[in-house]
Every structure is written in C-alpha cells, then in structure tokens.
Amino acid sequence: MRLIIAEDSTLLREGLVRLLAEEGHEVVAALGDATALPATVDELAPDVVVVDIRMPPTHTDEGLRAALEIRARRPSTGVLVLSQHVERTYAAQLLAGGAEGIGYLLKDRVARVGEFLDALDRIRAGSAVIDPEVVRQLVGRSTRTDSLSGLTPRERDVLEVLAQGHTNTGIAERLHLSLSAVEKHLNAVFDKLDLPRATGYNRRILAVLRYLEA
C-alpha cells in the first residue's frame, strides 16, 4: 500500500519507513510535523496515513486535528493515529465522524510488528482498529456509568472486542462463542444502551462512542 508517515521523532519515523519498505509497502512521504500533512495527502493520495497525535509546534493535538481534517476532506483515506498514552477524548473525537478505515494505537503496539502491520491492512480494508489496551482502560472506567453498569460480564467482553474493530466472526473466534451467541449479546448491549434502530445510525459505532465519552 501507499502510506504517509507524520511523526516528529526522527528515530521512530525512519524506523517506520524502513519497516514498511521491507514489507513491500511504499512510503510516499515522511513528515516531521503535521502542518503540511493534509495538503500532502491531497497531493499524493496515499491509502493510509500514520500520524502521531502530539506534533510540533505545541505538541498537543496537531496530529489529531490534521487527521480529522484528512477524514473530512478524503473519507476514503485510512488514518492510523498513534498515541503515547490513552486519551479517551481524542479517541472519541476520531470515531465520532464514522469508524470506517480508522485506527487508534498506542506507540508500544508499533513494536509488535505483526500486530502493527495487521492493523494497517485492516484499516486499508475499511475496518476500525482500536488498541486493546485503550479499550481495556476505557471499559474499566466506564463501569462507573449507569448506562454501562447494567451489562453482564460476557456482554462487556463482547463490547471490548467489538471496540477493537473486530467483526462478529472475529468476536466469536476470540471469545470462543457461536455467531448466534455473539449476535444475541450485541443486541442485548445495544438495547441496554438504548441505541436507536433507525436507518442512518450504526449501532456498533454508537456503542463504542457511548463508553468512550462516558
């Protein structure tokens, strides 16, 4: 695939460029700040953009804002956001516009090369990929909210794997459940969270957003 990397750490940026090249991918641009990132994406039309949340000059949310701009201008472009720590507000902002082709990973996950490369493939294919550690922390925090406290332990397990971006088949494989059981648990989650069945709403995304914003 064709990728653009935006990462202010020279060591990590060059390491990603080399890793991806060795895997047969093409890094068409590698940037040290996010200022020119949206325009570069418009010009080079990559399949996936990998961007750090905290970029120069203020090292706050420049990368996230660039990612949101890219999604608004080019919704078919996959975006993988990297973060040093779990930041639930940023994760919620990223998913709010739709989760297709979106990823949110902690930087430690990059060192697990197989998982990182798999995440890129899934994002390019249009899936959402959320770091399992992000999901665990957010689900743990969400136990204090009334709307989620009514979920059973198994429903929480299903929601956790759903939030990592897995399909029903993937959830079934990871939790050793039948597909019908997964569907039953998901429907129970949706109903307990009072998520609308109306056309135009993706209840899977709404379920994830519900506890990200809790």
Side-chain angles (χ1 to χ4, degrees):
M1 70 184 78
R2 289 163 49 84
L3 300 107
I4 289 178
I5 308 294
E7 165 60 56
D8 63 307
S9 167
T10 303
L11 184 62
L12 179 55
R13 184 173 67 249
E14 295 305 318
L16 287 174
V17 170
R18 178 171 296 185
L19 167 66
L20 292 167
E22 289 175 351
E23 293 295 323
H25 302 302
E26 180 185 4
V27 178
V28 296
L31 310 177
D33 66 68
T35 306
L37 181 57
T40 304
V41 171
D42 284 342
E43 178 185 356
L44 300 177
D47 299 306
V48 178
V49 177
V50 180
V51 56
D52 187 6
I53 281 183
R54 298 181 182 274
M55 299 282 286
T58 68
H59 294 278
T60 54
D61 64 350
E62 283 88 348
L64 176 69
R65 286 190 281 111
L68 294 174
E69 184 176 346
I70 291 165
R71 291 292 291 179
R73 289 159 58 163
R74 302 180 64 89
S76 62
T77 299
V79 174
L80 171 58
V81 169
L82 301 178
S83 178
Q84 192 69 44
H85 308 288
V86 176
E87 311 209 37
R88 62 176 179 173
T89 301
Y90 291 162
Q93 284 183 260
L94 190 65
L95 289 170
E100 294 80 9
I102 282 288
Y104 183 100
L105 294 182
L106 297 181
K107 286 189 174 180
D108 289 347
R109 193 70 50 182
V110 177
R112 305 177 187 182
V113 175
E115 292 183 31
F116 174 65
L117 295 173
D118 177 65
L120 290 176
D121 286 336
R122 290 165 59 196
I123 290 167
R124 184 190 186 187
S127 296
V129 178
I130 309 298
D131 194 290
E133 182 58 28
V134 174
V135 174
R136 277 193 291 271
Q137 290 195 32
L138 295 174
V139 170
R141 291 176 183 177
S142 71
T143 59
R144 296 192 294 272
T145 68
D146 291 338
S147 61
L148 299 185
S149 61
L151 300 182
T152 67
R154 179 54 81 185
E155 288 164 358
R156 286 184 176 279
D157 291 340
V158 170
L159 178 58
E160 179 175 334
V161 181
L162 167 69
Q164 293 170 26
H166 292 290
T167 62
N168 287 8
T169 300
I171 296 171
E173 291 173 350
R174 282 158 181 77
L175 297 180
H176 306 289
L177 296 170
S178 66
L179 276 174
S180 61
V182 170
E183 292 170 0
K184 176 183 176 182
H185 288 308
L186 282 176
N187 285 329
V189 169
F190 299 152
D191 289 341
K192 289 180 180 181
L193 296 184
D194 195 26
L195 299 177
R197 295 177 178 271
T199 302
Y201 290 94
N202 186 321
R203 296 203 295 170
R204 299 170 74 91
I205 295 174
L206 291 175
V208 176
L209 285 172
R210 178 63 58 85
Y211 72 78
L212 284 175
E213 294 172 343

